[in-house]
Every structure is written in structure tokens, then in C-alpha cells.
Amino acid sequence: MTARVLVGVKRVIDYAVKIRVKPDNTGVVTDGVKHSMNPFCEIAVEEAVRLKEKKLVQEVVAVSCGPQQVQETIRTALAMGADRGIHVEVSGKDYDSLGPLQVSKILAALAKKEEASLIILGKQAIDDDCNQTGQMTAALLDWPQGTFASELVIEGDKVKVVREIDGGLETIKLNMPVVVTADLRLNTPRYATLPNIMKAKKKKIANMKPGDLGVDMTSRVEVLRVDEPPQRQAGVKVESVEDLVSKLKEAGRI
Amino acid sequence: MALQSLVNQARVALPASFFPSLLHKDPNGRCCSSAPIPRITSHYTIYSRDKDPRWEGVDMQRFVDEADVVIVGGGPAGLSAAIRLKQLANRHEKELRVCVVEKASQIGAHTLSGACLEPSALEELFPDWKERGAPLNTPVMEDRFAILTEKYRIPVPMLPGLPMNNHGNYIVRLGHLVRWLGEQAEELGVELYPGYAAAEVLFNEDGSVKGIATNDVGIAKDGSPKDVFERGMELHAKVTLFGEGCHGHLAKQLYKQFNLREGCEPQTYAIGLKEVGLDYTNPYLSPFREFQRWKHHPSISPILEGGSRIAYGARALNEGGFQSVPKLTFPGGALIGCSPGFMNVPKIKGTHTAMKSGMLAAEAIFSKLTDENLQSETTGLHVPEYEQNLKKSWIWKELHAVRNIRPSFHSYLGLYGGMLYTGVFYWILRGKEPWTLKHCGLDSAQLKPAKQCTPIEYPKPDGKISFDLLSSVALSGTNHEHDQPAHLTLKDDGVPVACNLATYDGPEQRFCPAGVYEFIPLESGEGMRLQINAQNCVHCKTCDIKDPSQNINWVVPEGSGGPAYNGM
């Protein structure tokens, strides 16, 4: 039986909230805005908890990197069934520039420290849509990766993953330890119900800093400017095909 | 889960039995026979699960936990009560478990107010509020009061002593203040549970209130259980405080259960957009579009020019004041805040009285809970001392003094009669006249049939100062899990078309500030049907209040659904 699963969870702005760009164009407004767990991370947590319920893994550890508020996200993972949490404290400028490179270095260090044999992450976060953390983590650890998983089966010391790819579905077999990233159809996450939230208060969340893991937080990426997408311009309706052709000629398109 | 619902636009195949044929009488006694009515409501409060074959064998057991006091609603009243309870407990070194359940995903997310706060109650709660960093950052410098005609503005002098005078008050973003109160409460040891709605009141065998149950999760749109179905939990308490804000849905049940509205007038309301009174008579009136029109008034639009719309929201508020306050206590519980309704209407302030009511309730409950010689007739404690103390407090003096101002605007002298009355009896005599004027009755009963009224031609929104409804609703950040029964339940699915549309031209399509109600043509081509876009709902409660047939019953949706206001 595999001992430990590490699940990464990210606190992001809730998908239904209307995003506003900060007046100084350095980013988006986050203060006081509703946040929740990244939907793909919810699916990752659900998968890990199901593996535990099937007695295929012994312990599920939820990890999140960020300021104090990410503890709420870790608590939600604990309420869904994770056993304990790790909060890697990142705040201020480091948090503003936190990206897949630093997170994957942290996860790699934690995986070694915790002796995890399976890491499940969401395929991407809905705020930056990077789709890089899982892949980078696997590369840093030199582990095989099963990304865009819509099915995950543990068979002894191997993992069978069905991947959603452009051409359809691809089934691969990987030797443990592995990194898997969850896609939409992997499962339907359970609700974090109130009794479980109450029980989760008793579960432990360990705090640590990136420095404790020997991770360098310098970013290689600098955000120059954030802008709203341009306002959608009104289209023009035409009555006939001739009209359309002449309009296209006018605009120099043909 | 969120993405799942976006992708899986489930089309439920409804069996033939979902299309009952109806033969019934409308309020005018006419028989309305209709073709098969598409089923709209599937909520279990209307269609019980006991007899529903889809629920056979489903485990309906609930997890139970006990607290000393449970508070429904994490707003100014609820949080003030929680804080006061813990302050007293800590001071007297007593253990007290206080739990607050709140339907919004985070404290403050469902709070909306024009908020000009009178800091009196806050001073009593936290004399050191400034040092603690309470977000009261904008003191009022000047007040201007005027009557707006179609094009002009008639200024009205702001004499000191008039209730609208705001010297010493602060403009606040109430959502942020509520969030701050939540932080203070947690520091004191209050257990806060945002994202969990109280859906049901629980009763002991002796009829006293036992506590509440939170909402079930995982029920599909057609009312059947999903794989992720889980029962809510039961939170039992010696006393349960209900601070659901204006027109709470559990309070509505409690009024009936304990007959709390005997002897008081029906509550009357306004919708805060801000403000359009809900006792209007013309069913063609749309509060949202009146608000858009108001922004274009020559004295208002210059203030707004150059600005951009970043947020939107709406909420009902109570305007009944003194005359409409119900009984406040019953065995096992009490009502606090805007739920019973302590808003000082001419002052347009209810936050300070809401907070004070919460504090008074906490003090009365604490005395009772720590009384060693307590002998209660019922398992749920009855705390009538709360109501008695409230009636001796400044809340009551304040509400009593201004009780006749709003009703005075309803005489045939209208606006000027009201102003004259206020000038004489409030400003000079401070409300000491011996009589108490009445309101006009239920807001829902005020609408005249559509054929007696003229449709109102509203100007098109210009996109700079005035806007269309749907883009505004998007800014409220409101969202609900789409695969759940609509929480805007209809007692009778046939009434909207047969009565509301037929007699009043469907006022719900106009008074809802979120575009939830739409009358669209039936697929068969003949006649209309009501479509309820429950996901748009911003939890304002206007529909439950203003529906002329009183057929709409707002119940709480799955917790954490609803608007995502930020400091509104």
C-alpha cells in the first residue's frame, strides 16, 4: 500500500466573481474579493480521498503556498477528508510573484521530506491558467507524469492514467512514484459539510517557510502590465452577399 | 464541482405527471382553467420527500451538535450579539459555546447598505473601536436634503434636530465593517461558519425552539438526490437567535408558529437600490429602472459623470418602524436586528439599532444562562427580559419619537403634508403627540390591477450613468450551484400566469432587481409561462414581499450561493 499522497491546493478568486483590474494596472483587485479553492484542486483532493477510502493509500496531506488566508483552503481540503495540512507561508512581494516554478520547487522538496509516492495536483489554476506546476514538479523530481487525468487506477506499484488529449483519450502506465494532474472529468468532488468542517478544526496544519525547504523564491518572470480585455465593438449587419463582399473589400480584407 | 455544473447543462426529462392540469379559482373568484402547466417548483418544502419514490432508502439521519447559543445570520445584529456574549463570558470567566451560521461564503458577502453609520452602538460594544481598526474612515461633513422634480431641485433646509442630520456619523462600507466585526468575534472565541445556511427551525417536544438544521446539499434541479447528497447538520442550543436581516425566511415561519405578529402592524418595506419604497401601486413600475432614471436627474448626473460602475446590489429594508415590531421572544429563541425591524426610517439608519438589539439579547441571555437558580418550563429557554429591556432602551425611545413621520406622508396631503407634519410634530414636539398613525397594510396588497394603471416608458440606459439590468447583475458576483431545486418556490405553480400575469401584468418581471422572473411564450405557441432564473438571485427578498398573490416563498439555497459583495 502506498504510504502518502501529497495534494496541492490553490486559493484563487472564485470563478463567478467579476474580475477588476487595479487602477495602477499592476494586477487585479483581490482585497475582500470572494476566493475559493481552485476547482481542479477540488477534483485532486476528491481523488486522493477516494484512494484513501479504497485503502490504496494511507495518508493524504494537503499543501498550499501563500499568506494566512490559504489556511481556509487547507481547512476545506481537511473537511473533504485530507488527514493533515502543510501551509508554506509566502506573503508580500514573494506572493505577488509566486508562480509555477517556485511552487513546483516547494512541492518537490516536500515530496522528498514527506516521502510521498504520489502527488496529485489540479491541471491548472483558473487565475493564471499556467498548466505548468505538475509538469515542472515531475521534472524536478525526475518522476513520470500523468497529466489531464480523467481516470486514475493504482495497480500494485504502477499507476494507470487515462489522459484527455487533443485526439481523444490516451491510456498510459507509470511506475510509482508519480505526479498526476486532475482534469475535469476525473470525478465530482464532495461538499465540505459543516460537521466535517468542525472535525477538520482538530486536524493539524503545519507551518513552514520556503527557506526551511531550501527553496529560492526569486521569480524569473516580471509582470509589466495588466489590462482589461478591449471592449467588444459592435458588429455590422449586412443584407446580402454582395454587401458582405463590398464591406470586406472596403476594410481591405480581401 | 463548479466547473462540472458549467459543463453539464443537464436537461432533465420530466415525466408526464409533472404537467398537472389545473382548474381553480383566482382571487376574484373566477375559475381559471389552464392547459398543462410546466412544473416550476421542485423544492422539498413544497413537495415533501417522504412520499417521493426517488428518496426511498436514502439515509436522512443528521449529525447533531450542541452549543449554548446558536445565532442565525452573521450580520451586524448577529455578530454584535455573539461578541457581547463572549465579552460577558470572558469577563465572568464562564465557558460559553457560541456558534454563528451564515449563508454567505464569507462574512460580509451578503451585506448591502447605503450605510451612513451612527456609531453609538459600536461605541458601546467596543469603546476602543478606533484603536482596533474598525473601518470607519469617512466622517460626514455636510448634509444636503432636497425634493427632486422632473428637472429641478428644491433644497430643503437641514435644521439641527431633524432626524436626517448626520453630524457625528460616518459613511461606511458596511460589508467591510461586518467583516471586521467577524474578525473581532473570532478573536473572542466565537465559532463562525460562513457558507452554511440555516434551512430549518427545530422544535423540542414541548414546542420550544431546539435549534436549527443547516441546508442539505446535493439535490438535483428536479428534486432527486445526487451522488454527492448529504444531509445538513443539526445545531442544538438553549437559545437560538434569529438575525436573518430584513424579511428572513425562518422568521417568516416563526411568526406563524408562535403568532408573533398579533397586535402589531404588518411590516412595510423598501428596496435599497437606493431607495424605492415597496408600497407603490402601479404594477408597471420597475424599481431598477426608476433608479437608472434617477441617476440622470440634472442635479445627480454631474456627480456621477466620469465615474465607472464597479459594483451592484439590492436588498429589501424594513420601513414599518415602531408600529410593525412584532413580539421578539418565544420559548427557545428570539429575533434580533432588521429581521423584526428596528430601522429609524426618516434617519434611514438601522445598523445601530440592529447592533444594539443584538447586544441587549446577549445580555439578557447571558444573565439567564448563568443564573444558578434557573427553572425553565421549556427545554428551550424563554428570555422575555430581552424584549422588556429593549422597550426601556434608546432603541425604543428613538423609534417611538419618529413613528408618525412616514405614515404622515400617506395622507391625501401627500409629500407636503408629510413635511409639514414632520416639521411641527417631530422637529418642534419631538414626537410626543399622543396618537400613533397607521400604515396602509401589506405591501403586496397595494398593487392596483394593471388595466387601471398606465405602463411607464423608461428611457434606455446610456451605458455611462445608467445601465441595463443583466450587466449590473453580473457585477454582483452572484452565483448558485445550478443543479439544485429553485429556491424561489411557488406554493402553486399555476398562479403566476393565471393571476399575477392576468391581473397585474406580471409585476415580478419588473420588481426583481436581478432578472430572476421572466414570462416567456410557451413552446406550443399559445400563452405564457414563468421562467425562474434562480441563479441570478441576489437574496434581496423583494419578491417574497411584493408578490400580490403571496405565492412566492423564498427559501434558502445551498450555502455559499448568492451575491459576492465586497464592502457594499
Side-chain angles (χ1 to χ4, degrees):
Chain A
M1 172 158 65
T2 322
R4 211 163 273 130
V5 185
L6 211 62
V7 181
V9 295
K10 188 178 182 186
R11 179 176 181 263
V12 297
I13 295 181
D14 187 86
Y15 79 93
V17 168
K18 204 101 174 133
I19 308 283
R20 245 192 326 130
V21 175
K22 283 202 270 208
D24 61 4
N25 292 97
T26 55
V28 299
V29 177
T30 52
D31 188 38
V33 173
K34 178 177 175 188
H35 283 67
S36 31
M37 190 191 291
N38 183 39
F40 294 107
C41 298
E42 283 181 347
I43 297 175
V45 174
E46 175 65 25
E47 197 61 23
V49 173
R50 286 189 189 186
L51 289 174
K52 193 178 89 158
E53 285 170 348
K54 288 189 208 142
K55 303 227 190 328
L56 293 167
V57 300
Q58 213 167 16
E59 202 188 21
V60 176
V61 183
V63 184
S64 194
C65 308
Q68 183 63 18
Q69 292 97 315
V70 306
Q71 298 227 352
E72 287 162 24
T73 316
I74 301 175
R75 287 258 171 249
T76 308
L78 295 173
M80 286 172 73
D83 296 294
R84 59 185 167 88
I86 298 178
H87 171 201
V88 181
E89 291 167 18
V90 182
S91 50
K93 283 259 172 315
D94 276 347
Y95 183 59
D96 292 336
S97 64
L98 185 65
L101 182 61
Q102 298 96 317
V103 175
S104 53
K105 286 180 183 171
I106 291 171
L107 289 176
L110 277 173
K112 291 203 192 104
K113 184 167 182 284
E114 296 285 335
E115 291 173 344
S117 35
L118 176 60
I119 301 180
I120 311 184
L121 305 173
K123 71 170 180 182
Q124 65 197 60
I126 60 170
D127 52 5
D128 56 22
D129 283 321
C130 283
N131 193 329
Q132 296 167 6
T133 308
Q135 292 87 335
M136 283 180 173
T137 311
L140 287 169
L141 287 166
D142 199 26
W143 288 7
Q145 55 187 260
T147 53
F148 311 106
S150 65
E151 204 183 312
L152 167 66
V153 181
I154 298 188
E155 293 169 351
D157 61 350
K158 297 200 201 300
V159 173
K160 186 182 87 172
V161 175
V162 176
R163 304 180 59 227
E164 299 207 1
I165 61 173
D166 291 344
L169 297 173
E170 180 192 54
T171 310
I172 56 175
K173 214 174 220 175
L174 309 166
N175 296 326
M176 301 261 257
V178 295
V179 174
V180 175
T181 70
D183 206 327
L184 186 63
R185 278 159 279 270
L186 183 57
N187 60 50
T188 305
R190 66 196 63 191
Y191 287 83
T193 55
L194 188 53
N196 290 326
I197 288 271
M198 289 177 169
K199 287 188 200 135
K201 286 200 165 165
K202 305 198 182 91
K203 296 185 183 176
K204 283 203 164 38
I205 299 180
N207 291 330
M208 55 186 76
K209 294 206 168 49
D212 302 337
L213 299 164
V215 170
D216 165 30
M217 293 299 283
T218 355
S219 176
R220 301 335 191 227
V221 174
E222 186 193 341
V223 173
L224 296 174
R225 201 185 154 84
V226 178
D227 280 301
E228 296 240 344
Q231 286 280 25
R232 197 156 174 252
Q233 298 298 327
V236 178
K237 273 194 176 157
V238 292
E239 297 295 310
S240 67
V241 180
E242 289 79 26
D243 240 347
L244 175 63
V245 174
S246 69
K247 280 241 152 54
L248 287 172
K249 285 205 173 128
E250 258 174 60
R253 301 289 183 193
I254 50 171
Chain B
M1 207 164 18
L3 280 181
Q4 221 79 326
S5 54
L6 283 177
V7 169
N8 304 337
Q9 296 290 310
R11 289 181 165 274
V12 181
L14 299 171
S17 56
F18 270 52
F19 295 80
S21 231
L22 231 64
L23 198 69
H24 63 270
K25 284 195 197 310
D26 76 13
N28 296 324
R30 282 171 313 183
C31 228
C32 321
S33 116
S34 25
I37 299 163
R39 169 107 138 218
I40 303 172
T41 304
S42 56
H43 202 274
Y44 62 81
T45 50
I46 308 280
Y47 296 101
S48 165
R49 289 175 290 193
D50 299 335
K51 306 190 187 69
D52 191 331
R54 301 170 300 182
W55 287 88
E56 229 181 279
V58 175
D59 184 11
M60 298 297 268
Q61 271 238 313
R62 282 191 285 221
F63 181 77
V64 176
D65 204 358
E66 299 255 350
D68 291 297
V69 182
V70 165
I71 301 175
V72 175
L79 291 173
S80 300
I83 288 169
R84 184 51 111 211
L85 277 169
K86 275 307 221 182
Q87 282 175 339
L88 290 168
N90 294 343
R91 197 189 311 162
H92 296 261
E93 289 174 352
K94 298 257 188 231
E95 287 285 328
L96 208 64
R97 186 176 181 205
V98 180
C99 295
V100 177
V101 288
E102 162 59 47
K103 63 174 164 57
S105 57
Q106 50 195 50
I107 303 284
H110 286 186
T111 302
L112 179 93
S113 176
C116 187
L117 178 77
E118 193 181 290
S120 50
L122 182 62
E123 286 272 348
E124 286 183 38
L125 192 64
F126 288 116
D128 57 346
W129 58 262
K130 231 190 202 121
E131 287 78 38
R132 282 174 182 262
L136 273 69
N137 301 318
T138 316
V140 171
M141 291 294 153
E142 196 197 324
D143 278 300
R144 273 190 274 160
F145 197 61
I147 302 175
L148 299 181
T149 63
E150 200 178 325
K151 290 201 182 61
Y152 300 104
R153 181 179 178 272
I154 308 169
V156 173
M158 263 317 234
L159 306 163
L162 270 183
M164 302 79 174
N165 197 307
N166 275 309
H167 184 73
N169 297 337
Y170 292 82
I171 314 257
V172 294
R173 296 175 71 171
L174 194 59
H176 285 168
L177 180 61
V178 169
R179 187 175 67 181
W180 177 84
L181 282 171
E183 289 162 12
Q184 305 307 304
E186 275 198 311
E187 262 177 51
L188 286 165
V190 174
E191 288 176 53
L192 286 180
Y193 296 113
Y196 297 96
E200 202 185 313
V201 183
L202 304 168
F203 296 94
N204 289 306
E205 274 171 18
D206 58 17
S208 61
V209 168
K210 187 156 89 165
I212 52 98
T214 58
N215 58 281
D216 293 346
V217 292
I219 303 179
K221 203 156 177 52
D222 66 358
S224 61
K226 292 194 278 198
D227 289 328
V228 283
F229 170 74
E230 267 195 67
R231 275 294 253 167
M233 71 173 275
E234 297 191 7
L235 264 174
H236 296 176
K238 304 194 184 81
V239 185
T240 310
L241 285 178
F242 294 86
E244 298 168 285
C246 179
H247 206 77
H249 79 109
L250 292 181
K252 196 172 163 185
Q253 276 178 41
L254 290 166
Y255 291 149
K256 276 211 209 94
Q257 181 83 15
F258 293 105
N259 209 5
L260 300 171
R261 297 210 77 98
E262 194 179 17
C264 75
E265 289 205 41
Q267 187 60 267
T268 88
Y269 301 89
I271 178 173
L273 270 174
K274 302 136 205 235
E275 336 246 6
V276 180
L278 280 183
D279 52 352
Y280 62 83
T281 55
N282 185 343
Y284 289 108
L285 192 140
S286 157
F288 176 81
R289 303 196 79 173
E290 289 293 336
F291 180 52
Q292 304 307 316
R293 190 157 64 164
W294 174 78
K295 286 189 279 181
H296 279 289
H297 189 276
S299 73
I300 306 286
S301 55
I303 307 175
L304 299 172
E305 228 131 78
S308 55
R309 173 192 56 161
I310 59 172
Y312 169 78
R315 183 72 173 91
L317 11 61
N318 43 75
E319 295 208 324
F322 181 86
Q323 293 89 322
S324 302
V325 175
K327 294 205 200 62
L328 298 172
T329 65
F330 41 88
L335 301 169
I336 54 175
C338 276
S339 182
F342 300 113
M343 195 177 96
N344 179 330
V345 180
K347 240 191 205 176
I348 323 182
K349 289 181 181 48
T351 312
H352 62 310
T353 47
M355 289 174 70
K356 181 67 174 168
S357 71
M359 289 153 67
L360 287 168
E363 285 153 13
I365 292 172
F366 186 76
S367 308
K368 245 205 168 110
L369 283 178
T370 51
D371 181 358
E372 268 139 28
N373 305 322
L374 180 66
Q375 288 189 341
S376 175
E377 286 174 357
T378 51
T379 321
L381 293 181
H382 191 191
V383 192
E385 292 80 0
Y386 156 53
E387 187 161 354
Q388 293 158 15
N389 293 346
L390 191 132
K391 296 207 163 135
K392 294 189 211 130
S393 74
W394 52 257
I395 299 182
W396 212 239
K397 277 197 206 71
E398 211 183 293
L399 290 181
H400 186 262
V402 301
R403 73 197 181 288
N404 286 326
I405 297 184
R406 183 163 172 267
S408 69
F409 284 77
H410 286 145
S411 73
Y412 75 95
L413 291 172
L415 178 61
Y416 297 101
M419 294 186 65
L420 196 63
Y421 186 98
T422 306
V424 172
F425 289 100
Y426 182 77
W427 191 61
I428 301 176
L429 295 175
R430 291 276 173 253
K432 291 199 173 60
E433 69 270 30
W435 57 84
T436 299
L437 299 175
K438 284 186 182 293
H439 297 308
C440 303
L442 283 171
D443 285 336
S444 54
Q446 301 302 315
L447 281 182
K448 295 200 196 105
K451 50 180 191 289
Q452 292 176 19
C453 305
T454 9
I456 306 177
E457 273 287 326
Y458 286 106
K460 263 194 134 142
D462 73 348
K464 295 202 203 50
I465 299 180
S466 55
F467 305 94
D468 67 294
L469 182 70
L470 290 178
S471 63
S472 299
V473 176
L475 283 175
S476 68
T478 193
N479 192 43
H480 297 83
E481 159 65 40
H482 102 281
D483 192 13
Q484 63 173 308
H487 63 281
L488 303 126
T489 66
L490 304 172
K491 291 184 210 152
D492 180 336
D493 279 352
V495 162
V497 172
C499 306
N500 286 23
L501 188 60
T503 314
Y504 302 98
D505 197 51
E508 54 265 59
Q509 56 188 329
R510 292 186 197 90
F511 59 53
C512 174
V516 168
Y517 300 97
E518 272 185 297
F519 284 98
I520 55 185
L522 276 169
E523 281 77 29
S524 63
E526 285 178 30
M528 307 282 261
R529 66 174 181 90
L530 178 67
Q531 176 162 284
I532 299 184
N533 306 312
Q535 277 189 282
N536 286 13
C537 181
V538 292
H539 298 205
C540 76
K541 314 295 175 66
T542 301
C543 57
D544 195 308
I545 294 166
K546 192 61 176 170
D547 177 15
S549 330
Q550 287 292 279
N551 186 40
I552 299 175
N553 196 38
W554 190 99
V555 299
V556 77
E558 272 180 20
S560 82
Y565 299 141
N566 180 7
M568 286 279 268

